[in-house]
Amino acid sequence: MKTFYLWDETGAPTGAVDCDEAGPLPARCTATEPPAADVGCRVVWRGGWVQEPLPVPDLAAVKEKLRAAATARRWSHETGGLTLGGVRVATALQDQNRIASVLAAMQVAQVDGVDFKAENGWVYLTAVELQGIAGAITAHVQACFSAERAHHEAIDALPDLSAALAYDVTEGWPA
């Protein structure tokens, strides 16, 4: 058995595999181990391992990736659920719509309370308790969108590539 080093379609190393030299070898492999990348470079296969300078990112492209990351984080926080008074409530759009439908139906049917299946099990909720949950979910969702907007505005105001590369989209989200 011998170790062979693999690369992907871009030439970037992807790992190693032990194979019998006499047997069929995987595509895009060599017996030569890739060197460690120098600072500011990446190692790629170009008929042999070579050092290439890392591409310099474009400020507009970095900002676009940051805005996309902020939007993805907002969605994750928005739909991640809430715990209210020991009741774990889902907060995705379909969950918000379900609560609104139950509240409307309770009002029409003049029902005082309902059995409600929360994420952590069954609970009995009065209309007032369900309205409180709906209000908390609304406040939570709004806080998530406000945080996303604040990130987008901060990202748009980043003055240069250095500031954009240092920007952290993981800060400033509602708990």
Side-chain angles (χ1 to χ4, degrees):
M1 293 296 241
K2 184 171 182 169
T3 301
F4 289 87
Y5 300 90
L6 308 167
W7 65 88
D8 66 17
E9 59 279 348
T10 69
T14 59
V17 64
D18 290 327
C19 295
D20 184 349
E21 290 181 81
L25 296 176
R28 297 191 302 258
C29 76
T30 179
T32 306
E33 184 174 2
D38 293 339
V39 174
C41 292
R42 63 181 177 171
V43 173
V44 291
W45 181 262
R46 301 286 185 253
W49 296 114
V50 297
Q51 304 268 346
E52 289 183 352
L54 288 171
V56 176
D58 171 71
L59 178 59
V62 172
K63 284 184 174 185
E64 184 58 35
K65 285 182 182 179
L66 286 169
R67 282 189 293 272
T71 297
R73 188 161 288 272
R74 186 263 310 148
W75 184 87
S76 177
H77 279 272
E78 175 192 350
T79 61
L82 290 174
T83 301
L84 304 164
V87 177
R88 183 77 186 151
V89 182
T91 56
L93 185 57
Q94 67 268 21
D95 303 305
Q96 296 172 47
N97 291 339
R98 181 171 58 106
I99 290 171
S101 295
V102 170
L103 277 170
M106 288 175 77
Q107 199 170 30
V108 169
Q110 296 181 342
V111 175
D112 293 331
V114 293
D115 288 320
F116 183 83
K117 190 173 184 181
E119 284 190 329
N120 59 342
W122 289 99
V123 293
Y124 182 82
L125 296 173
T126 66
V128 170
E129 290 170 326
L130 201 53
Q131 287 170 346
I133 290 172
I137 291 173
T138 299
H140 168 74
V141 169
Q142 182 56 53
C144 292
F145 275 96
S146 293
E148 179 188 12
R149 179 181 182 176
H151 276 288
H152 280 233
E153 289 174 353
I155 290 164
D156 289 343
L158 292 170
D160 55 39
L161 187 58
S162 174
L165 293 172
Y167 189 83
D168 186 0
V169 298
T170 66
E171 299 293 322
W173 295 97

